[in-house]
Amino acid sequence: MLDRKVEQEFGLGMTDFLALKALCGKDPSGLRMRELASLLGLNQSSATRAAGRLERDGLAERVADPEDGRGVVVRVTPEGRELTAEIARLFSREVSTALDAAALDRRTASVVARLLQGPQEH
């Protein structure tokens, strides 16, 4: 359901969002395609297509690898970074709403309470 909401509100598929999030969390100079593929659990061809869609939408860009001028890296643009932050806020709202609803159900209330308390030290 959340993937449909991201697609409807932001026009971004879940694979592309995960690629964008991976790019935001790594080296600002960018990632080689094989690194992106590995982070996403995709083959290099699928990662390349995702990067192409992000680039087409102005959310990422491909540039020469600063360590190896023969190679190419993909890196997030400021627009991509902002969109990632907006989607993260959506995720937070949706999870909060789901937990609030689950807390009202006697079958799941204790689980929600434990989740909200965080890890317990033993």
Side-chain angles (χ1 to χ4, degrees):
M1 177 154 68
L2 195 50
D3 55 340
R4 278 186 267 136
K5 196 161 197 159
V6 169
E7 178 113 33
Q8 289 171 348
E9 290 190 27
F10 301 100
L12 201 63
M14 192 55 65
T15 298
D16 294 352
F17 168 68
L18 293 173
L20 197 55
K21 186 158 176 36
L23 292 170
C24 284
K26 294 296 176 184
D27 186 345
S29 64
L31 292 173
R32 304 251 350 201
M33 216 50 72
R34 72 176 180 279
E35 294 171 305
L36 181 60
S38 176
L39 286 170
L40 298 174
L42 298 174
N43 61 43
Q44 197 165 332
S45 177
S46 295
T48 298
R49 285 192 302 275
R53 290 187 298 271
L54 295 174
E55 186 175 35
R56 177 198 67 211
D57 295 340
L59 304 173
E61 60 186 356
R62 294 181 217 203
V63 296
D65 185 337
E67 295 178 15
D68 176 3
R70 299 169 298 166
V72 174
V73 296
V74 61
R75 66 183 180 199
V76 68
T77 62
E79 294 82 4
R81 200 168 292 282
E82 177 55 36
L83 182 63
T84 303
E86 286 181 47
I87 295 171
R89 288 188 290 272
L90 169 69
F91 273 49
S92 182
R93 285 191 310 271
E94 292 295 316
V95 168
S96 179
T97 299
L99 287 174
D100 288 347
L104 297 175
D105 186 325
R106 65 178 175 75
R107 296 170 295 173
T108 54
S110 65
V111 173
V112 172
R114 286 195 306 270
L115 284 171
L116 294 176
Q117 287 174 353
Q120 303 294 311
E121 292 189 30
H122 297 279

